[in-house]
Amino acid sequence: MKRDVHFILNGRPVTFSVEPRTTLLRALREYGVTSVKRGCEEGECGTCTVVIDDLAQKSCMILALEAEGKSVLTVEGLVGPKGELHPIQRAFVDEGAIQCGFCTPGMIMSAYAFLRKNPDPTEEEIRVALAGNLCRCTGYIPIFRAVRKAAAALRELGHTPGGVR
Ligand code: FES
Ligand code: FES
């Protein structure tokens, strides 16, 4: 029997009606949040990564009901009110860190959560932070470059830990 789950999705309160066994990944996609990609559904690829209460999480490993009362952010929620890209999204575009794009929303959400905690990371720290997100296209180098560039852009905007939109 379906049950209701209430949470904040990209800044807005929502109520989803879900079967208790439905994962957050499947629930988000059913409700039209298709940036959240269905890859392995085993917690291995990171394409389903969302940010829950400031923590990057693989939504295929979480039941939708577990989102009750939490704040869930997907890549759609990073876009500004006038459609302007978030500095991390902009850096991915500018650095050619996107090919097929399947891994991109998850990569960006992992980078987002990471840069909120660590605004001035080393190359090694970036690599470790994104180790749970697989990409079959880019060879990772443009992605790491994009995260470095985004970090610099956010610092220029006065970003401090926990301070990215
Ligand atoms: S779909 Fe969730 S980690 Fe692969
Ligand atoms: S851009 Fe295709 S999987 Fe990463």
Side-chain angles (χ1 to χ4, degrees), residues 10 51 54 73-95 97-98 104-105 107-119 146-160 162-165:
N10 295 329
V51 173
D54 278 349
L73 187 65
T74 69
V75 84
E76 288 90 344
L78 296 187
V79 178
K82 292 182 184 150
E84 62 274 26
L85 293 181
H86 185 278
I88 302 174
Q89 295 170 310
R90 171 52 54 204
F92 269 65
V93 173
D94 291 348
E95 289 302 320
I98 304 166
T104 310
M107 283 287 180
I108 288 178
M109 297 320 291
S110 288
Y112 173 85
F114 168 61
L115 292 178
R116 276 177 69 86
K117 288 204 197 82
N118 186 349
V147 175
R148 271 203 313 277
K149 183 170 187 168
L154 288 165
R155 286 197 305 277
E156 210 159 288
L157 291 170
H159 163 52
T160 51
V164 190
R165 176 172 73 228

Side-chain angles (χ1 to χ4, degrees), residues 119-148:
D120 192 6
T122 64
E123 175 78 20
E124 182 61 20
E125 287 169 336
I126 293 171
R127 287 175 183 240
V128 170
L130 297 184
N133 292 80
L134 305 183
C135 176
R136 293 196 160 180
C137 304
T138 65
Y140 297 99
I141 300 303
I143 292 173
F144 300 147
R145 214 168 46 222
V147 175
R148 271 203 313 277

